[in-house]
Amino acid sequence: MTIELHVADAPTAEDREAVLAPLRLYNEAMAGPARTEPVAILLRDADGHTIGGLWGRSGYDWLFVEYLAVPQALRGQRLGSALIAEAERIARARGCCGLWLDTFAFQARGFYEKLGFTVFGTLEDHPRGSRRFFLSKRLDG
């Protein structure tokens, strides 16, 4: 069998799934099913339009917060704290032992630390001249 490298100019959802399939099989053989479930906690205005919120997923006993966004004009009203608190409630209900997320140095590291998250990793020069922080918060200890 001949195998070649191919850089996709416009990768598709099918390409992504083809890459994930053997990884998913291996992971499940080693750690069991991930039981991945999405999490969406939305901020809606009076007209019902989604204007921010929290987006993530739970799997392998942790809830990953992929995005958390509160519009600039609404900051300082504890909406971010409420979003994290609701994510923690969902995580506990799903049997997760913690939450994890990442944030850039110019974003909200201090906010997350005030909520009990701790840094477990740092990526220097992402973007160049700055840092990206990886934080976690255990719920079982």
Side-chain angles (χ1 to χ4, degrees):
M1 175 190 314
T2 302
I3 304 295
E4 64 180 52
L5 296 179
H6 173 77
V7 177
D9 293 330
T12 65
E14 292 80 17
D15 293 330
R16 183 179 189 275
E17 189 55 38
V19 171
L20 282 175
L23 181 60
R24 191 176 290 123
L25 283 173
Y26 179 79
N27 289 350
E28 287 185 5
M30 300 306 292
R35 293 183 304 277
T36 303
E37 294 182 69
V39 176
I41 308 165
L42 309 176
L43 296 175
R44 291 199 168 147
D45 66 14
D47 296 323
H49 298 107
T50 300
I51 57 169
L54 182 148
W55 188 269
R57 65 184 174 277
S58 60
Y60 284 128
D61 306 313
W62 283 79
L63 191 147
F64 171 56
V65 177
E66 187 172 5
Y67 305 116
L68 187 147
V70 175
Q72 187 72 35
L74 299 176
R75 293 187 184 162
Q77 298 180 35
R78 303 202 41 84
L79 292 170
S81 298
L83 290 166
I84 290 292
E86 183 62 12
E88 289 179 15
R89 186 197 65 75
I90 291 168
R92 283 186 177 92
R94 293 182 182 182
C96 295
C97 60
L99 289 85
W100 72 281
L101 53 85
D102 63 84
T103 189
F104 291 107
F106 54 83
Q107 289 179 328
R109 176 183 170 181
F111 163 76
Y112 295 116
E113 288 175 325
K114 286 179 187 175
L115 296 178
F117 286 79
T118 57
V119 173
F120 68 87
T122 304
L123 184 60
E124 298 290 336
D125 286 324
H126 188 58
R128 197 173 301 278
S130 190
R131 295 181 177 139
R132 189 171 190 169
F133 298 101
F134 296 83
L135 298 97
S136 65
K137 179 178 181 179
R138 291 203 64 104
L139 299 175
D140 59 358

